[in-house]
Amino acid sequence: MHVVIVGGGLGGLCLAQGLAKSGVSVAVYERDPSPHARDQGWRITLKEDGSRALRECLPAPLFDLCVTTAIRPATRMAFLDHRLTPAFTKPIPDPPADTVFGVNRLTLREILLTGLDVRFGATFARYSHTPDGRVRARFADGTTAHADLLVGADGTGSAVRRLLVPYAELDEIGGFVYGRTPITPGLLREVPEILIDSFNRLTAPGGAALSVATCRPLRTPSEAAAAYAPDARLTDIPGYFAWTVAGDERRPPGGDGFHHADGPTLHRLALEAIHAFHPAARRIVREADAAATFPVRLRSARPVRHWETTNVTLLGDAIHTMSPGRGEGANVALRDAALLRRAVTAAAAGAPLTETIRRYETDMLAYGFAAVRASLTQPFAPRAARGPARP
């Protein structure tokens, strides 16, 4: 059994780690020229689904490395107006340290890359089925790869999805500017406590909004790697505030063309959008690394009917991309990875591949699009408890 994964995002890499751990041959083909080729966000929160999937798929030292390099947890939830007047606040109980925790996205990606066979600079073009029942992936440079299973884990703009599910549609639901501000001693002393180590959102009367996340690792990544996984090569990232700015009436700062703007332009647009906000909030954005500012275009997948199952399937944002309101996208992608790992290992042990993939797709489409719907209609609501997905 050999699996080819198109896309080197968190879900695809988690699946690759899980298959390698299970003794299944796997290769990842990623269109980016290197792991650091583009900004992909700064901070994500791993919840029960995500941490459970990582524990299942990763070798124990790499999972321990994820936990050890986690970001200090938020201590409260706060919704405020643009002048920092609270509308709603509540404390956040300390979660189990290895169950719910924040991570720097780059650190997690570097951990997931450890030990994997990843071909960078490989832009997927198309696939075809071969007479012997396998699948052939062809890339833009003319190279090919043969596999028993091809997995499209290539994100919201998935080229694999366009071929496998050509009727799938996405809705444009807005956008925001994403930035990073180094935490200096002076800045940390002067930022109001309500904005430090909190899950927060500041909203002005016209709809402009700012959220600030405090990102300080519990342990320096390189030191943690030396202790838990010496083969991992992790980038040390000093503490920072990750912030997002949304414009009025669900429009991104600068209008629809914001995603073509460069970092300094986006930084200026973000400052203009929050010109009436509290001085401390404006300072966080003003002192950002302007060149590291980038746009996030928000899209939400419409539910799709189940396609005819073959030896080509999809994972994560490639099929059920969603609003980030509940912070579910990465967690659902990791859940996909764990579920698909079980399906593939069952097939490697002798179960019919098409049947195991069909069961994976049935479950994945059900819970994946339930998460899409909840992210649109109840972005800040707590999730209902659920039982484990069937393998």
Side-chain angles (χ1 to χ4, degrees):
M1 172 74 70
H2 180 62
V3 178
V4 164
I5 300 171
V6 175
L10 301 182
L13 295 176
C14 182
L15 172 61
Q17 286 284 357
L19 294 177
K21 179 180 174 181
S22 302
V24 176
S25 173
V26 59
V28 179
Y29 291 77
E30 165 59 50
R31 67 177 178 269
D32 287 345
S34 76
H36 309 95
R38 60 189 172 91
D39 293 317
Q40 298 185 13
W42 302 112
R43 182 190 190 279
I44 60 175
T45 298
L46 293 175
K47 304 178 184 178
E48 292 89 342
D49 289 340
S51 62
R52 184 185 299 115
L54 288 176
R55 186 187 293 276
E56 176 179 334
C57 292
L58 292 180
L62 292 186
F63 179 76
D64 291 341
L65 188 54
C66 291
V67 175
T68 306
T69 57
I71 292 166
R72 297 185 192 187
T75 59
R76 76 183 82 180
M77 178 182 293
F79 293 86
L80 314 103
D81 71 9
H82 64 303
R83 305 300 296 177
L84 296 188
T85 303
F88 171 81
T89 64
K90 74 170 185 178
I92 299 175
D94 287 338
D98 61 351
T99 302
V100 178
F101 53 95
V103 295
N104 180 281
R105 184 180 289 267
L106 175 61
T107 301
L108 179 57
R109 191 164 188 242
E110 289 178 336
I111 292 171
L112 290 173
L113 283 166
T114 302
L116 291 181
D117 177 13
V118 180
R119 323 287 173 85
F120 287 99
T123 300
F124 174 81
R126 61 186 183 276
Y127 68 82
S128 59
H129 296 284
T130 60
D132 62 358
R134 305 183 81 210
V135 61
R136 178 192 297 114
R138 185 173 295 277
F139 299 90
D141 62 1
T143 59
T144 60
H146 290 76
D148 299 288
L149 176 69
L150 175 68
V151 180
D154 47 342
T156 302
S158 173
V160 179
R161 183 191 66 240
R162 286 196 294 270
L163 297 172
L164 181 64
V165 197
Y167 51 84
E169 296 181 279
L170 303 174
D171 290 320
E172 297 281 346
I173 58 171
F176 56 81
V177 174
Y178 206 142
R180 177 185 63 184
T181 302
I183 295 179
T184 62
L187 179 60
L188 193 61
R189 283 194 302 269
E190 296 184 23
V191 170
E193 184 181 1
I194 194 68
L195 296 181
I196 298 174
D197 292 330
S198 66
F199 174 86
N200 60 68
R201 185 173 177 85
L202 288 63
T203 306
L210 167 70
S211 293
V212 178
T214 310
C215 304
R216 293 180 287 176
L218 296 172
R219 188 170 181 182
T220 302
S222 62
E223 293 178 353
Y228 287 93
D231 290 340
R233 296 291 179 265
L234 305 188
T235 302
D236 285 337
I237 303 171
Y240 60 92
F241 289 115
W243 50 263
T244 63
V245 170
D248 298 344
E249 299 177 352
R250 294 178 62 127
R251 288 172 60 84
D256 295 336
F258 87 115
H259 53 275
H260 297 304
D262 60 15
T265 299
L266 289 167
H267 182 242
R268 175 179 56 79
L269 292 172
L271 280 171
E272 291 173 357
I274 63 167
H275 71 278
F277 280 51
H278 190 280
R282 295 202 311 272
R283 180 179 175 183
I284 290 173
V285 176
R286 186 176 65 251
E287 296 187 8
D289 178 357
T293 309
F294 63 93
V296 176
R297 181 181 179 186
L298 299 181
R299 286 171 285 183
S300 182
R302 295 184 182 180
V304 297
R305 65 181 185 274
H306 193 173
W307 53 90
E308 180 181 357
T309 300
T310 64
N311 56 351
V312 179
T313 194
L314 298 166
L315 176 154
D317 285 348
I319 182 61
H320 47 57
T321 192
M322 63 192 73
S323 159
R326 292 166 66 98
E328 298 284 14
N331 287 279
V332 177
L334 294 172
R335 181 181 177 185
D336 292 352
L339 186 62
L340 185 52
R341 184 203 68 84
R342 292 177 224 145
V344 174
T345 53
L353 177 63
T354 301
E355 179 58 30
T356 64
I357 298 303
R358 181 183 296 113
R359 294 180 66 197
Y360 157 74
E361 290 170 346
T362 299
D363 282 354
M364 176 271 293
L365 289 171
Y367 68 70
F369 280 103
V372 172
R373 182 171 59 253
S375 293
L376 282 173
T377 60
Q378 297 178 300
F380 300 110
R383 296 185 303 167
R386 63 162 184 84
R390 73 185 156 108

